[in-house]
């Protein structure tokens, strides 16, 4: 079970990522609300996070970091646009999470093989598994 602070940190990171291109589209906002709902965080709290960032909490498990990377990947592709700045930011976030650079690169490359560039969770997990073996 995640702490409330961990949940806020996850959402705060996603908000910052959505704003990398200096705007947040409706589709990105709706996706953030869906993730917040799945985490048990209400809409008013999300609105507060839009105004004030939550302190960063480092996700402890590798699985949690991979899930967060996947959320960010989905967020990047939700608006059907990928800017080089977003791709570079996602790559750097993955590195800061301690994810293998080759796995990150492979995910960013294969996303183009899927409709709407939405990499299925099982494919993403298998890529990371292969790089940990």
């Amino acid at each position: 079970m995640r702490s409330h602070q961990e949940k806020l940190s996850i959402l705060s990171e996603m908000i910052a990522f959505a704003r990398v291109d200096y705007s947040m589209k409706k589709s990105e906002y709706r996706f953030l609300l869906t993730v917040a709902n799945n985490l048990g965080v209400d809409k008013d709290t999300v609105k507060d996070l839009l105004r004030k960032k939550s302190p960063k909490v480092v996700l402890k498990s590798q699985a949690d970091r991979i899930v967060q990377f996947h959320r960010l990947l989905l967020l990047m592709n939700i608006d059907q646009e990928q800017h080089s700045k977003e791709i570079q930011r996602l790559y750097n976030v993955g590195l800061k999470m301690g994810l293998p650079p080759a796995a990150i690169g492979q995910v960013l490359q294969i996303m183009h093989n899927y409709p709407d560039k939405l990499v299925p969770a099982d494919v993403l997990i298998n890529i990371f598994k292969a790089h940990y073996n």
Side-chain angles (χ1 to χ4, degrees):
M1 183 56 84
R2 295 185 202 288
S3 73
H4 185 68
Q5 199 56 43
E6 231 178 357
K7 294 173 185 180
L8 296 182
S9 177
I10 286 167
L11 292 168
S12 195
E13 180 176 45
M14 292 180 73
I15 290 167
F17 185 76
R19 290 179 169 163
V20 76
D21 59 357
Y22 306 106
S23 68
M24 184 181 298
K25 295 181 177 72
K26 285 182 182 181
S27 58
E28 293 170 326
Y29 181 69
R30 284 192 303 269
F31 182 72
L32 284 167
L33 290 178
T34 300
V35 171
N37 186 50
N38 289 340
L39 293 172
V41 176
D42 63 51
K43 187 176 181 176
D44 289 335
T45 303
V46 173
K47 287 180 180 179
D48 290 341
L49 289 172
L50 289 168
R51 289 186 290 275
K52 186 178 180 211
K53 218 172 166 179
S54 177
K56 175 81 173 138
V57 174
V58 177
L59 298 173
K60 291 178 180 72
S61 80
Q62 195 70 357
D64 286 342
R65 291 191 296 267
I66 292 169
V67 168
Q68 180 65 355
F69 180 82
H70 193 229
R71 284 186 196 113
L72 294 171
L73 179 69
L74 294 172
L75 180 60
M76 177 178 73
N77 290 312
I78 201 85
D79 63 359
Q80 307 294 316
E81 297 176 19
Q82 300 79 37
H83 301 281
S84 60
K85 193 172 186 179
E86 289 176 313
I87 293 169
Q88 188 60 47
R89 173 70 66 92
L90 183 57
Y91 184 84
N92 289 335
V93 167
L95 290 178
K96 287 179 185 175
M97 289 180 185
L99 300 175
I104 297 167
Q106 187 176 352
V107 169
L108 293 173
Q109 188 174 34
I110 64 121
M111 73 180 183
H112 300 286
N113 298 340
Y114 293 93
D116 300 324
K117 297 180 177 64
L118 301 177
V119 179
D122 61 327
V123 171
L124 183 123
I125 289 167
N126 286 333
I127 288 170
F128 281 99
K129 276 184 184 177
H131 286 274
Y132 284 114
N133 290 332

